[in-house]
Amino acid sequence: MNTLGAVPAKPTEDSPSQPSPFLEVRGLRKAFSGREVLHGIDLEVGPDELLVVLGPTGAGKTTLLRLLAGLDEADGGAIVMAGSDVTSMAPARRDVSLVFQNFSLYPGWTVRRNMEFPLRAPGRAMSEAAIAERIAWAARLLRIEPLLERPAQRLSGGQMQRVAIGRAIVRRPRLFLMDEPLTNLDAKLREALRVELVVLRRELRTPMVYVTHDQAEALSMADRIVVIDGGRVLQTGTPEAIYRHPASPTVARQLGQPAINLLRATLRDGNWCAADGTPLMTAGAVGNAAATPMGDVSGGAVIGVRPEDLSLTGGAHPGSVRLVEDLGPTRLAVIQWAGGEQRAVLDKSSTVAVGDQVLPSIAPDRAMLWAADA
């Protein structure tokens, strides 16, 4: 039986060659106090790419960034930048900038002095004129020119994060590392700054590794996403590919709001049926028939259906509406059906109400199917 999550086809001999990756990570391992945190991480970042590393708290995201920056020493594997092995190289020689989520500014210093700090590091030997020019350039890009003489302690959260980003870009490093830099900001400011970060990175044409647990950031910002959990890479691909073709239920749960519906199913008389016997769809009707075969489903399967792909009409077995929420442009209905609570995104004009009986149906060309132990 087939499942979604297929790896994109390799380029044919007639396909245009891809540029060599700027960053290559191979088999990267790290343990703390005997407990392995990273279990052989592999990833690549192109010379003009924003790679988002997505995973829950404790997945190993910050550890990965610290290894890339050289702040911690890897226990195994290799880190290659621009063709050179930097695995054992000192942080200063790697020429990367790391932005943390907690701003890390000197509160009593002015914005200008905070931004100048990395340019005055030993060995830089930049002239005062060159430093002033670099600060003016970064302040103009980030629209913080009026703040240059203000002490950092008098800045708002959004202003502080802009300054922290400015301090990173004035160095003009060859790689940006972002450790959940927008986490401590309110929702509206996060949305505005993530747009600005994407535009800024494109203007600078500098590769970036951006780690987050926020799926909205991953979907809206990434050229490609690496999904990690438990210190392992679960899947790599474009946001669309991972959203529509997740390699496992674990990956599927990481993307999508409202969360994906996951239904345990077994084959009965040519139909995939839920645990309570509700027929979900006919065998062979799942829309991932062209995907990579994965696992033996003779012992059961998991069917995944995004809430926007679950209709409240067209089915043969009724469900009951337990909750309806207004999401602004759409509505969300929580349905008791197929042995559990399922979620369906509805059009704003829908008149479905709590207590209504509905006939849910799954769009088979949008459904996902994995072996039960995937």
Side-chain angles (χ1 to χ4, degrees):
M1 184 58 64
N2 295 332
T3 181
L4 290 177
V7 177
K10 295 181 179 179
T12 64
E13 293 184 0
D14 296 328
S15 301
S17 60
Q18 298 296 316
S20 299
F22 169 79
L23 173 68
E24 297 176 84
V25 176
R26 294 288 177 259
L28 200 61
R29 311 183 77 89
K30 182 63 181 178
F32 293 104
S33 302
R35 184 178 69 87
E36 197 161 37
V37 177
L38 297 182
H39 304 268
I41 296 290
D42 294 327
L43 60 82
E44 294 182 351
V45 183
D48 184 20
E49 181 177 36
L50 197 165
L51 183 78
V52 171
V53 179
L54 175 68
T57 300
K61 305 185 299 296
T62 295
T63 298
L64 172 61
L65 280 197
R66 291 181 62 85
L67 294 181
L68 296 181
L71 301 179
D72 290 327
E73 183 178 346
D75 295 328
I79 303 169
V80 178
M81 294 184 187
S84 298
D85 191 325
V86 303
T87 312
S88 302
M89 190 177 288
R93 295 185 58 204
R94 299 191 186 199
D95 193 18
V96 303
S97 281
L98 175 56
V99 177
F100 297 97
Q101 61 178 278
N102 59 358
F103 313 140
S104 303
L105 301 180
Y106 293 98
W109 289 8
T110 64
V111 169
R112 182 185 299 277
R113 189 178 178 191
N114 269 285
M115 292 175 64
E116 288 176 347
F117 180 69
L119 301 181
R120 298 186 183 279
R124 278 263 172 190
M126 291 183 68
S127 69
E128 291 299 320
I131 290 174
E133 180 182 357
R134 194 74 66 85
I135 298 302
W137 163 78
R140 186 169 57 252
L141 279 178
L142 292 164
R143 302 195 301 279
I144 55 174
E145 294 166 292
L147 306 177
L148 285 175
E149 308 310 325
R150 184 179 298 181
Q153 61 193 3
R154 292 179 50 204
L155 301 176
S156 68
Q159 290 169 338
M160 283 193 285
Q161 197 57 294
R162 279 192 172 89
V163 175
I165 293 168
R167 188 175 56 186
I169 70 173
V170 292
R171 292 184 51 234
R172 295 182 183 171
R174 57 181 185 165
L175 176 66
F176 287 117
L177 304 174
M178 299 278 177
D179 186 10
E180 307 207 43
L182 309 182
T183 295
N184 292 328
L185 305 178
D186 64 66
K188 288 187 68 174
L189 191 53
R190 283 202 308 271
E191 183 177 355
L193 279 184
R194 72 185 184 222
V195 172
E196 293 182 15
L197 263 179
V198 170
V199 172
L200 176 64
R201 196 217 64 79
R202 287 176 182 165
E203 290 180 358
L204 298 176
R205 300 187 68 83
T206 303
M208 179 184 291
V209 179
Y210 186 106
V211 307
T212 184
H213 66 274
D214 188 324
Q215 59 177 294
E217 289 181 7
L219 287 170
S220 64
M221 296 178 67
D223 295 315
R224 285 187 307 128
I225 296 172
V226 174
V227 179
I228 72 170
D229 196 5
R232 292 181 170 86
V233 173
L234 303 184
Q235 189 173 358
T236 301
T238 64
E240 175 68 14
I242 290 182
Y243 184 77
R244 278 298 164 197
H245 307 286
S248 68
T250 300
V251 174
R253 280 191 291 263
Q254 298 240 19
L255 289 175
Q257 185 61 38
I260 190 170
N261 299 300
L262 297 173
L263 299 97
R264 291 274 174 178
T266 54
L267 276 174
R268 300 181 188 176
D269 300 324
N271 291 305
W272 285 108
C273 297
D276 70 344
T278 301
L280 302 173
M281 63 183 65
T282 59
V286 180
N288 54 350
T292 303
M294 180 177 171
D296 178 7
V297 295
S298 60
V302 176
I303 291 177
V305 55
R306 297 286 182 193
E308 63 267 29
D309 299 324
L310 180 62
S311 173
L312 299 191
T313 61
H317 290 258
S320 176
V321 178
R322 298 194 60 188
L323 177 69
V324 178
E325 294 181 352
D326 194 321
L327 301 182
T330 60
R331 304 176 78 203
L332 173 68
V334 178
I335 313 299
Q336 184 67 38
W337 179 69
E341 289 188 348
Q342 320 303 335
R343 286 162 173 76
V345 172
L346 311 177
D347 187 83
K348 185 71 172 180
S349 61
S350 170
T351 59
V352 168
V354 173
D356 285 355
Q357 294 294 298
V358 292
L359 294 171
S361 62
I362 295 173
D365 61 328
R366 306 287 274 185
M368 309 166 197
L369 179 68
W370 303 277
D373 58 354

